[in-house]
Amino acid sequence: MSSSIKAEISKIGALAALTQYPGSFVVTLVLLLSACSQQAPSETGTVDSSGVQIVTSTPASSEATCTFSEEPVLIIGDDEEDDNQWFSTILGMGRLSDGSVAVVDRTSAEVRIFDASGHHLRSIGQGGEGPGEFTIPYFLWVAAGDTLWVGDFYPWRYNVFTAQGQFVRRLGLEPMYINPSKAGGVLENGYTVNARSNFYTRTPDFDVPDTMIVEIHNPDGKLVGNLAWIPDRIYGKVSEASEFFWLHTLFGAGAKVDALGSTIVLAHESKPEVQVLDEESNLRMTIRWSEPNREVTRADVRAWREDYRERRSPSDWDQDDDAMISPERPVADVFPVISNIMIGRDGRIWIHRYDRPREDRGWLAFDADGKFACHMAQLPGDVWEFGADYVLLLYESELGAETVRMHSLTSPS
């Protein structure tokens, strides 16, 4: 990374530290953009005075739809005769270039590799403190050349392996992270994007947001600089809760970050907007879209509380459950727009729309150039990875058994 880029990141971090941000979305890069551009974006896109492209769309006016296969094309974890198909808690997965799938299992403290038909090929790592061993393996990034980056804590660090299972190195972050990185990824140039939360300013009164601090680390794990400080959820306490139980504002919005290949995305759940950066941390594009009718009503709050009671077993109910549905818990005025954001391995940017009470709102996809690509219905599991023609899911049965499922993905012609 060039000295000029280091200087720019340092400048961005300094500006963020001086910003007053409660209740608003303040990625510093957004401030730099708005300071340079006074022109409202058109439906087709504009370029501001700093050369940043602004692309605006109205998904509601488009019928373009991406679809996924009703039945999975691959299931890993349903063969009762193979011990390698039994998972305790799956904490990461990713598809390699040859079609094989890597899965991180917590209790066995290993990464298991399965071929494209679901047969176990090999296992990587084990529990322990030595090179290539895990205390608690936690998520997986598939980097350039099918290199596997597997998080481990405490303290937070990465074990790096080849796809064939050879241990390459262990990488800690400087300054040290105690807890796992909250978001991010490894870029093609070997730099990593990591995020940590500053929650030390919390008060019981729900009046100060946490802050997500997004940082860039070089290939040796050393901090290059702060990329952005983004307001996160606002937490507090209510009288029904136990002493150490914090809960956030109902329907409150937080920060989102992802990084993959040569792309970094930053967003706040409260806005239909995504900042897109390149691997040199240059802001290159802002994606915006329309999202009408976001007001939270009393009926929404009532429905959420009723559904929460139905999800919880009466035998397990305790004072913290009382706090969750307490009238003392503040409620946001408007719903968030985003509940998750992911960069697909083909460069598309996927937005999981925030599910309002008793609604499954599904996904929006945008092409690498920021143009709206398609709507997609809610998927039957938690999404871990999008590809050009597949999606990897974590699926949990009614009995709590976890499996990996891959569905084929079809885009509009």
Side-chain angles (χ1 to χ4, degrees):
M1 184 173 290
S2 68
S3 59
S4 62
I5 294 174
K6 291 182 181 179
E8 183 64 19
I9 291 176
S10 177
K11 180 176 70 174
I12 288 172
L15 285 171
L18 296 174
T19 303
Q20 298 297 317
Y21 54 72
S24 64
F25 175 26
V26 185
V27 174
T28 306
L29 293 166
V30 176
L31 296 180
L32 295 176
L33 173 60
S34 61
C36 296
S37 174
Q38 302 299 323
Q39 183 178 7
S42 71
E43 288 294 316
T44 57
T46 61
V47 177
D48 74 1
S49 58
S50 66
V52 175
Q53 187 178 16
I54 304 174
V55 184
T56 302
S57 60
T58 53
S61 65
S62 173
E63 296 183 357
T65 303
C66 291
T67 58
F68 56 91
S69 59
E70 182 175 350
E71 296 297 326
V73 296
L74 173 66
I75 301 177
I76 301 171
D78 66 338
D79 186 351
E80 297 181 359
E81 297 181 357
D82 184 354
D83 290 342
N84 291 298
Q85 297 257 354
W86 284 94
F87 300 107
S88 58
T89 303
I90 295 174
L91 294 178
M93 66 180 76
R95 192 172 186 234
L96 282 62
S97 59
D98 64 356
S100 59
V101 176
V103 185
V104 177
D105 182 65
R106 174 173 178 164
T107 298
S108 62
E110 61 187 13
V111 181
R112 301 177 193 167
I113 310 292
F114 300 84
D115 67 17
S117 61
H119 295 109
H120 178 256
L121 297 176
R122 55 192 167 274
S123 295
I124 303 170
Q126 61 182 7
E129 299 279 337
E133 297 179 337
F134 301 105
T135 304
I136 302 177
Y138 194 81
F139 76 55
L140 174 144
W141 295 335
V142 180
D146 285 342
T147 303
L148 307 179
W149 289 58
V150 187
D152 185 36
F153 70 110
Y154 303 97
W156 184 245
R157 57 200 175 186
Y158 297 103
N159 281 331
V160 183
F161 302 89
T162 69
Q164 298 304 314
Q166 296 173 320
F167 175 69
V168 178
R169 60 179 175 142
R170 173 177 286 173
L171 180 71
L173 300 181
E174 301 178 21
M176 181 174 64
Y177 278 43
I178 300 298
N179 295 310
S181 175
K182 292 176 66 68
V186 59
L187 301 171
E188 289 177 350
N189 60 9
Y191 284 74
T192 59
V193 177
N194 297 279
R196 57 187 175 88
S197 180
N198 179 9
F199 52 84
Y200 298 107
T201 58
R202 281 184 189 175
T203 72
D205 301 323
F206 295 91
D207 56 1
V208 179
D210 289 0
T211 303
M212 180 181 285
I213 304 171
V214 186
E215 299 177 325
I216 302 289
H217 293 81
N218 70 16
D220 295 324
K222 292 182 171 57
L223 178 66
V224 174
N226 291 340
L227 182 60
W229 291 21
I230 313 177
D232 215 345
R233 287 189 173 87
I234 300 175
Y235 285 81
K237 294 185 177 183
V238 301
S239 59
E240 290 94 336
S242 56
E243 180 181 359
F244 300 104
F245 185 70
W246 293 81
L247 72 166
H248 61 77
T249 302
L250 183 59
F251 307 132
K256 290 297 179 187
V257 179
D258 197 20
L260 180 66
S262 59
T263 303
I264 305 167
V265 291
L266 308 172
H268 194 270
E269 294 171 348
S270 66
K271 282 195 171 185
E273 180 175 286
V274 177
Q275 306 295 315
V276 184
L277 292 74
D278 62 24
E279 64 180 358
E280 292 289 314
S281 304
N282 300 307
L283 178 63
R284 67 175 183 86
M285 180 170 58
T286 299
I287 301 173
R288 294 173 181 161
W289 66 96
S290 57
E291 186 72 33
N293 304 323
R294 295 173 52 207
E295 181 183 0
V296 176
T297 67
R298 291 183 180 179
D300 293 320
V301 177
R302 182 170 59 252
W304 186 91
R305 290 172 177 166
E306 290 172 353
D307 292 347
Y308 183 85
R309 285 185 177 276
E310 290 184 6
R311 290 195 303 270
R312 293 287 292 158
S313 169
S315 61
D316 295 331
W317 193 275
D318 60 23
Q319 60 185 342
D320 292 340
D321 293 299
D322 290 329
M324 292 288 289
I325 63 172
S326 170
E328 292 183 28
R329 183 182 184 183
V331 179
D333 294 328
V334 295
F335 285 107
V337 177
I338 301 168
S339 65
N340 198 13
I341 181 169
M342 300 181 71
I343 303 170
R345 299 193 69 85
D346 60 347
R348 281 185 291 186
I349 296 172
W350 290 86
I351 305 295
H352 188 202
R353 306 175 73 189
Y354 186 86
D355 289 333
R356 301 171 188 179
R358 300 172 184 174
E359 290 186 30
D360 292 331
R361 308 189 71 227
W363 293 79
L364 303 176
F366 297 85
D367 291 334
D369 60 5
K371 295 179 181 179
F372 177 71
C374 64
H375 302 269
M376 189 167 69
Q378 190 85 313
L379 286 145
D382 295 331
V383 178
W384 284 76
E385 183 176 282
F386 282 105
D389 58 1
Y390 71 90
V391 57
L392 274 180
L393 304 176
L394 172 62
Y395 179 85
E396 184 173 324
S397 71
E398 294 182 359
L399 299 177
E402 293 187 342
T403 61
V404 175
R405 298 196 175 193
M406 185 170 71
H407 291 254
S408 62
L409 184 62
T410 303
S411 302
S413 58

